[in-house]
C-alpha cells in the first residue's frame, strides 16, 4: 500500500499557498486516505482588545525557551510517523526547524532514528519526547541516547497510559507499511505482533505516576518538560515534582473525548504555576493570531502538530514545512502590530 507520493506534479506544488488552511486542503486531497485519516483524527472564542497609536514600526518576534533563543514563539510538536507525509520523514522536519531557527520536539515514534535526526540538522535546537514503556530499559536507553546526541530537553508525555480509540484508524485497519519502521524501537520488543501503531499491543506502561519524574531525573541532566497537562491541580503537581516546563495539550483531541480545548485550559494552568516554570501550548494553532492569543493568555511558546505534517506533504519535504512556518511568522508579526503590541484579550462565549 502506498502511503506517500514520491513526487507531486510541479504545477501542483506551484499553487499559491496563502494560509495554513491551504496546506490542510492540499494534504487532504493528495495524501492517501489512510495517512490523512491518521493525521486528522481528532467553543469559546478569544477576542483581542487592540490598542491604537502605539509605535509598532520595530517588532521583535524572538523569544527564549528554557534559555535558548528561537526566531519566533512557534515550535514543532512531537508527532509520529513523518514518513507517512514525505520520504525523508523526521530528517526533513529537523532541517526545516533548523532553517527557521526554532525548536523541534522529536517523537519516540519517529520513522527516523535519533541519530539520523541529529545528523540531518547538526546544531539544531531539539527536544526529545518520551513515552514510558513497560520495558523500562528501553526508555532509559532512549533518554540517555538523546542526551548524548545533543538534544536539549526531555518531554514526557503524560496523557497516554493507553492509546485512545481512534475510530478512523480502526476503520482503516491502520498499520505501518512494511518498509516503514519505528527506528528508535527496533529490536526493543519480543514477538512479531506489531499491530498497535508498529508496536506490540499494551507496550505502554499504564503504571506511570508523578514519582517517575524522579526516576527520569536520575537518568539525565536534561530539563524535563511534561506534556498533556490540562488542570491547575496537575500543574501544581508538575511544579512540585521539579519539572522545568509544562505543555498544555490534549494530544490533538486523540485521547479522551470531552477533554477541554487547550486554549481554554491554558489560563488555569498559567495561574496555577505563577511563573515558577515556563508554560507552552500545543494544539489548535492555525493562524498567527492564534499564536498571539496563546501568548496573551500566558504561554511562552506554542507548538504545531498537524500543520507541520501538512507542510511536509506539500513539496514532499522541508521546503513545504518552511513555507508553513514562514506564513505563521508573518501572520504573527502582523497580528502583533495590529493589536498594538499589547497582548490583552477577553473571552466571549459563542
Amino acid at each position: 500500500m502506498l502511503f506517500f507520493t514520491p513526487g507531486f506534479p510541479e504545477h501542483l506544488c506551484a499553487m499559491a499557498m496563502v494560509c495554513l488552511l491551504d496546506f490542510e486542503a492540499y494534504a487532504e486531497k493528495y495524501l492517501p486516505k489512510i495517512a490523512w485519516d491518521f493525521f486528522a483524527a481528532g467553543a469559546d472564542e478569544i477576542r483581542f482588545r487592540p490598542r491604537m497609536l502605539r509605535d509598532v514600526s520595530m517588532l521583535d518576534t524572538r523569544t527564549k525557551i528554557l534559555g535558548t533563543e528561537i526566531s519566533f514563539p512557534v515550535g514543532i510538536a512531537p508527532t509520529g510517523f513523518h514518513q507517512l507525509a514525505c520520504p525523508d520523514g523526521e530528517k526533513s522536519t529537523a532541517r526545516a526547524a533548523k532553517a527557521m531557527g526554532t525548536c523541534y520536539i522529536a517523537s519516540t515514534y519517529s520513522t527516523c532514528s535519533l541519530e539520523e535526526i541529529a545528523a540531518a540538522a547538526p546544531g539544531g535546537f531539539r527536544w526529545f519526547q518520551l513515552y514510558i514503556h513497560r520495558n523500562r530499559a528501553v526508555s532509559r536507553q532512549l533518554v540517555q541516547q538523546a542526551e548524548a546526541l545533543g538534544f536539549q530537553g526531555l518531554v514526557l508525555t503524560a496523557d497516554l497510559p493507553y492509546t485512545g480509540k481512534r475510530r478512523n484508524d480502526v476503520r482503516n485497519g491502520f498499520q505501518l507499511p512494511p518498509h516503514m519502521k519505528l527506528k528508535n524501537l527496533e529490536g526493543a520488543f519480543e514477538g512479531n505482533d506489531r499491530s498497535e501503531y508498529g508496536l506490540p499491543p499494551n507496550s505502554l506502561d499504564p503504571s506511570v505516576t508523578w514519582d517517575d519524574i524522579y526516576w527520569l531525573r536520575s537518568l539525565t541532566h536534561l530539563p524535563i518538560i511534561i506534556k498533556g497537562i490540562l488542570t491547575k491541580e496537575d500543574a501544581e503537581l508538575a511544579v512540585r515534582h521539579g519539572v522545568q516546563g509544562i505543555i498544555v495539550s490534549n494530544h490533538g483531541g486523540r485521547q479522551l473525548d470531552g477533554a477541554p480545548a487547550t486554549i481554554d485550559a491554558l489560563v488555569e494552568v498559567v495561574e496555577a504555576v505563577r511563573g515558577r516554570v515556563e508554560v507552552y501550548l500545543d494544539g489548535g494553532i492555525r493562524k498567527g493570531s492564534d499564536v498571539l492569543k496563546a501568548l496573551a493568555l500566558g504561554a511562552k511558546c506554542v507548538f504545531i502538530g498537524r500543520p507541520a505534517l501538512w507542510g511536509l506533504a506539500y513539496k514532499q519535504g522541508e521546503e513545504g514545512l518552511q513555507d508553513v512556518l514562514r506564513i505563521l511568522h508573518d501572520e504573527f508579526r502582523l497580528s502583533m502590530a495590529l493589536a498594538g503590541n499589547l497582548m490583552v484579550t477577553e473571552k466571549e462565549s459563542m
Side-chain angles (χ1 to χ4, degrees), residues 286-308:
R286 298 294 183 266
K287 306 184 296 294
S289 58
D290 295 334
V291 181
L292 185 60
K293 290 172 183 179
L295 267 60
L297 295 174
K300 182 72 171 177
C301 175
V302 304
F303 291 90
I304 59 169
R306 291 184 179 95

Side-chain angles (χ1 to χ4, degrees), residues 123-174:
F125 180 29
R126 288 180 294 274
W127 293 347
F128 171 62
Q129 174 271 330
L130 177 72
Y131 291 115
I132 296 180
H133 290 85
R134 295 177 190 268
N135 183 347
R136 290 294 183 97
V138 172
S139 299
R140 180 187 305 113
Q141 180 180 352
L142 286 173
V143 169
Q144 294 172 341
Q145 183 182 26
E147 183 170 9
L149 287 168
F151 286 73
Q152 294 169 251
L154 176 65
V155 177
L156 173 65
T157 292
D159 59 1
L160 205 131
Y162 297 97
T163 303
K165 185 174 182 179
R166 300 166 185 180
R167 294 177 178 86
N168 281 336
D169 292 349
V170 174
R171 292 187 185 104
N172 293 330
F174 178 86

Side-chain angles (χ1 to χ4, degrees), residues 257-335:
D257 284 347
T262 53
I263 195 70
D264 293 330
L266 177 61
V267 173
E268 178 178 331
V269 171
V270 168
E271 290 178 350
V273 305
R274 302 192 304 276
R276 290 173 290 174
V277 302
E278 293 185 358
V279 178
Y280 320 110
L281 179 134
D282 165 345
I285 301 298
R286 298 294 183 266
K287 306 184 296 294
S289 58
D290 295 334
V291 181
L292 185 60
K293 290 172 183 179
L295 267 60
L297 295 174
K300 182 72 171 177
C301 175
V302 304
F303 291 90
I304 59 169
R306 291 184 179 95
L309 297 165
W310 304 335
L312 290 174
Y314 178 67
K315 300 183 181 178
Q316 290 289 274
E318 60 262 31
E319 188 178 348
L321 178 48
Q322 287 181 56
D323 288 345
V324 165
L325 291 168
R326 286 191 195 97
I327 286 172
L328 272 179
H329 178 273
D330 292 346
E331 289 181 349
F332 170 63
R333 191 177 187 282
L334 179 61
S335 295

Side-chain angles (χ1 to χ4, degrees), residues 131-134 157-164 196 202-208 251 255-256:
Y131 291 115
I132 296 180
H133 290 85
R134 295 177 190 268
T157 292
D159 59 1
L160 205 131
Y162 297 97
T163 303
E196 190 169 276
N202 301 314
S203 61
L204 291 166
D205 187 347
S207 72
V208 175
H251 215 96
Q255 283 297 101
L256 177 66

